[in-house]
Amino acid sequence: MESERYLTFALTKGRLADQSLKLLTNAGFECEELVDQKSRKLVFVNEEKKLRFFLAKAPDVPTYVEYGVADIGITGKDTIMEEARRVFEVLDLKLGKCRMCVCGPASARTLLEHHELIRVASKYPRIARDYFYNEKYQTVDIIKLNGSVELGPIVGLSDVIVDIVETGGTLRENGLDVLEEVCPISARMIVNQVSMRMENERIRELINRLREVVG
Ligand code: PRP
């Protein structure tokens, strides 16, 4: 029996939204209305299948899912780790693959090796802190930035950065190297903890279909 309640998805705006929508469409959870992404509309509905979609900034996706206004979210593992919300991470969608890395000038290698008290600039202060304090047992100063983090070591704000590396192009153009790898990153599906119990059948079906599509 088709449930009357909408299943609500929070998707990450931008390139990931296009890729997530393709996956969802292939899994049979499509939304015609959303295909025209030029519109500034933020909420889209598939009335027939009782699906609702909205587009949000990446860091807000886990927030919507934790508070239950979205049953399901799709966003990067980087965001999920940084936001540390109470949600279930249920599936690796293998989209947007990249790596979280410690990067800097080659000269910063020795500072890392000797566990010096270095300055680390990052858009991801929690990930940076977890990595240095809990994995490397190295005390560091973390400086939160909001973008163009590569500037940190170039202008002398920090010794290294913790940031995403995809093609490596940004690092190369700025004379920086990957010094250490923190973890691999890709887009994940997250689920609200209450929805997982209440909408278990529909969500299980979605996970199974997506798993087949993702391969
Ligand atoms: C991300 C990341 C790096 C860059 C890595 O920045 O922070 O700067 O992409 O990609 P690459 O290895 O392919 O060069 P984004 O474009 O999201 O912008 P931002 O600097 O404003 O965060």
Side-chain angles (χ1 to χ4, degrees):
M1 197 183 71
E2 187 91 351
S3 163
E4 274 308 294
R5 189 180 168 277
Y6 282 98
L7 199 62
T8 301
F9 294 74
L11 305 178
T12 301
K13 267 184 178 176
R15 195 156 32 119
L16 194 54
D18 292 337
Q19 296 173 329
S20 313
L21 284 167
K22 261 187 213 136
L23 265 188
L24 289 169
T25 301
N26 292 340
F29 288 74
E30 73 283 352
C31 186
E32 297 278 305
E33 223 195 335
L34 233 174
V35 174
D36 177 22
Q37 274 203 57
K38 270 173 268 153
S39 88
R40 303 284 293 171
K41 204 170 151 183
L42 293 171
V43 182
F44 305 86
V45 177
N46 178 337
E47 283 297 346
E48 189 201 329
K49 296 193 176 176
K50 290 280 177 235
L51 306 174
R52 204 156 68 107
F53 300 82
F54 59 82
L55 299 174
K57 288 266 186 190
D60 298 336
V61 168
T63 311
Y64 287 116
V65 174
E66 181 182 287
Y67 282 89
V69 289
D71 301 292
I72 290 155
I74 296 182
T75 196
K77 178 69 178 171
D78 52 333
T79 303
I80 296 166
M81 289 194 297
E82 187 60 31
E83 296 303 313
R85 292 283 177 178
R86 280 168 300 179
V87 297
F88 292 136
E89 181 187 321
V90 297
L91 191 62
D92 183 350
L93 300 172
K94 299 178 185 169
L95 301 172
K97 283 191 184 178
C98 51
R99 300 180 294 156
M100 184 66 70
C101 297
V102 179
C103 311
S107 59
R109 261 181 220 286
T110 53
L111 302 176
L112 289 169
E113 275 162 20
H114 297 129
H115 283 222
E116 303 271 356
L117 176 57
I118 52 171
R119 284 182 169 184
V120 180
S122 186
K123 267 198 295 193
Y124 303 93
R126 185 193 296 264
I127 295 175
R129 186 168 297 109
D130 266 5
Y131 177 70
F132 279 103
Y133 282 73
N134 301 333
E135 278 191 45
K136 297 204 65 193
Y137 304 110
Q138 179 171 358
T139 305
V140 296
D141 264 344
I142 311 263
I143 304 169
K144 156 99 197 216
L145 288 178
N146 293 295
S148 303
V149 178
E150 291 81 2
L151 266 178
I154 294 172
V155 300
L157 177 70
S158 69
D159 299 292
V160 298
I161 60 174
V162 167
D163 199 18
I164 280 178
V165 179
E166 194 179 351
T167 62
T170 311
L171 291 180
R172 264 193 306 279
E173 284 192 33
N174 291 290
L176 304 174
D177 295 330
V178 170
L179 304 174
E180 290 173 2
E181 182 170 327
V182 177
C183 61
I185 301 289
S186 56
R188 309 290 160 97
M189 173 175 157
I190 55 175
V191 179
N192 171 267
Q193 296 187 345
V194 176
S195 306
M196 197 68 213
R197 285 201 301 274
M198 306 299 285
E199 294 286 329
N200 191 273
E201 210 173 303
R202 288 175 94 193
I203 294 175
R204 283 274 149 226
E205 187 193 348
L206 170 65
I207 295 171
N208 288 336
R209 293 232 193 129
L210 278 173
R211 197 176 275 132
E212 279 169 27
V213 173
V214 169

